[in-house]
Amino acid sequence: MPAAVYVVSIDPQASTVWWANRITDLPFDFSQEHETPENLAILKDTGAKVHVIANQKGGVGKTTVTLNLGAVVADVLKNQDELQHVFIDTPGSLQDENLLLEALKYAHDVIVPMPPEPLAFDPTARTITKVVEPTGLPYKVLVNNWDPRDGEADLKETRDYMTAQGWPFLETPIRRYKVHTRASVEGRVVTQYEDNKASFKAREDFYRLAIELGYGGGK
Ligand SMILES: Nc1ncnc2c1ncn2[C@@H]1O[C@H](COP(=O)(O)OP(=O)(O)OP(=O)(O)O)[C@@H](O)[C@H]1O
Ligand SMILES: [Mg+2]
């Protein structure tokens, strides 16, 4: 039975494939396509919604968001046998902008992960104004790696900044949990984390995000 979710990486750094290869029971179809990103053209005929996860700033959580959002959506749609959502993980560097532009050709929308840190604001703004907005695609910024133990100030400051920029953003933040950091080494996605309080909260964030994005069913 074909999976309802397909995750693709076009990052030549290939950390996604490194992580995905460690997962024994991947809940979605997966492939690495940085050498032949034009292969993605085939996605246009599938009728699936194609979501590109993009931010040319490195280390903001693109891979973490792609694999875990893919996992929860695959979980919700596990009884569906038609491809519905494609998530494309993209490079975190300016050098590979051509790869990102290629992926955007086939996208329906874009998710831009950003940590709630002022240092990340300017590089994210560059990706949005120079690369994402010119495509005319709908996009939303996603606050990732927010540590609730630091209080709400960082989150509020980030939301104020995004509002001032006129960026559409997701209400659901992805909180910072050690379980996410360890997941790539342990070869797990969020639906496969051990059952404990932190894992529950980590999972909750991604299910909330999937609901806010409306990826729970249909197309
Ligand atoms: N919500 C989170 N909680 C804890 N750790 C996180 C979270 N999001 C990301 N990380 C960690 O931060 C690091 C960078 O994340 P990730 O690899 O997903 O970013 P990236 O944007 O894909 O990076 P690159 O640009 O290099 O591809 C990783 O070690 C990851 O485990
Ligand atoms: Mg990555």
Side-chain angles (χ1 to χ4, degrees), residues 11 13 58-64 92 144-145 175-177 181:
D11 184 359
Q13 194 186 241
V60 296
K62 293 177 290 294
T63 301
T64 303
N144 174 51
N145 221 353
R175 291 171 286 188
R176 176 191 304 206
Y177 289 110
T181 324

Side-chain angles (χ1 to χ4, degrees), residues 16 21 56 82 126:
T16 320
N21 281 341
Q56 290 165 298
E82 197 185 333
R126 187 209 176 268

Side-chain angles (χ1 to χ4, degrees), residues 2 21 32 53 60 73 89 93 96 114 120 134-135 150 178 190 205:
N21 281 341
Q32 175 73 29
I53 321 304
V60 296
V73 176
D89 188 19
S93 75
D96 294 310
M114 182 178 82
T135 65
D150 292 344
K178 202 71 189 248
V190 72
D205 287 351

Side-chain angles (χ1 to χ4, degrees), residues 55-58 60 94 112 114 117-129 161 167:
N55 191 335
Q56 290 165 298
K57 178 162 171 53
V60 296
L94 294 173
V112 183
M114 182 178 82
E117 297 161 13
L119 268 180
F121 294 173
D122 279 356
T124 302
R126 187 209 176 268
T127 297
I128 290 176
T129 55
Y161 172 80
W167 295 345

